[in-house]
Amino acid sequence: MSILRIDSSANTETSVTRTLTDRIIATLDDTNITVRDLAETPLPQITHTWAVARAVPGEDRNAEQKAALELSDTLIAELRAADTIVIGAPVYNFSVPASLKAWIDLIARAGETFRYTADGPEGLIKGKRVIVAFASGGTPVGSEMDFASTYLRHVLGFIGITDVTVIAADALAMDADKTIANANAAVDALAA
């Protein structure tokens, strides 16, 4: 088993999602872990060169186009190599952080992680498990104002990943102790 850990909280010292992802990783008890810390090493936004390059068949790309897609190719390779993906996703303004959105933009590529068919889009990243640690001050997971978990579930499903478990610490501003205790219990249940 191999794990891809993605941290997206800008808070690198007292982050609830980072604490939860630590606990999730410990519960999974795997030593083959790739860490992608999007706060410590931010990803670039997609550019015109990138957008053009992704539409050019691989064998026809020039050196500049290959260079533009190099990081995207690396991120997709990390995703493909992982059996389990653990994502720390704080809720910023009702959605995922820009750092996590940049990762999604770089891995969601036609012909690589999904393809278009006569029956519609088909995800190409299959057989993966995702565990998402969500934290928010007061945006309840699954509520009308939760665009973060619904978006993440949708985009993961779009690329073929439908086995998604959400660990929610989603009422930190109301009762942090109870919220964290509930999230920790959900992490503990992963091992059961």
Side-chain angles (χ1 to χ4, degrees):
M1 291 275 295
S2 62
I3 296 171
L4 173 59
R5 174 182 175 157
I6 301 166
D7 285 307
S8 63
S9 176
N11 182 352
T12 58
E13 294 181 15
T14 59
S15 165
V16 171
T17 60
R18 288 172 186 273
T19 301
L20 287 172
T21 55
D22 284 344
R23 291 199 70 218
I24 292 165
I25 297 293
T27 299
L28 298 175
D29 194 30
D30 197 310
T31 56
N32 186 11
I33 301 168
T34 300
V35 177
R36 181 64 65 174
D37 191 324
L38 305 178
E40 294 291 326
T41 308
L43 298 174
Q45 300 295 312
I46 58 174
T47 64
H48 171 76
T49 303
W50 185 94
V52 170
R54 72 181 162 87
V56 175
E59 63 277 4
D60 296 334
R61 291 183 188 130
N62 62 33
E64 179 185 32
Q65 292 167 334
K66 289 177 184 176
L69 294 176
E70 186 175 359
L71 176 58
S72 176
D73 291 339
T74 298
L75 297 173
I76 291 169
E78 289 174 355
L79 185 61
R80 284 185 180 135
D83 298 301
T84 301
I85 300 99
V86 178
I87 302 173
V91 177
Y92 291 173
N93 302 311
F94 309 103
S95 190
V96 298
S99 60
L100 185 54
K101 177 65 168 71
W103 179 80
I104 292 165
D105 287 345
L106 290 166
I107 60 104
R109 278 179 47 200
E112 295 291 335
T113 56
F114 69 93
R115 68 179 174 188
Y116 294 108
T117 71
D119 296 323
E122 175 190 2
L124 301 175
I125 307 296
K126 298 182 182 193
K128 310 290 181 187
R129 176 185 187 197
V130 173
I131 303 168
V132 183
F134 275 104
S136 74
T139 302
V141 168
S143 71
E144 281 186 12
M145 65 176 127
D146 170 27
F147 301 101
S149 72
T150 54
Y151 168 71
L152 203 48
R153 280 184 188 275
H154 180 80
V155 77
L156 290 168
F158 186 78
I159 65 170
I161 303 171
T162 57
D163 183 358
V164 179
T165 300
V166 172
I167 306 293
D170 57 357
L172 291 166
M174 286 73 140
D175 188 346
D177 291 340
K178 180 180 177 186
T179 297
I180 290 172
N182 289 342
N184 286 337
V187 172
D188 293 341
L190 293 173

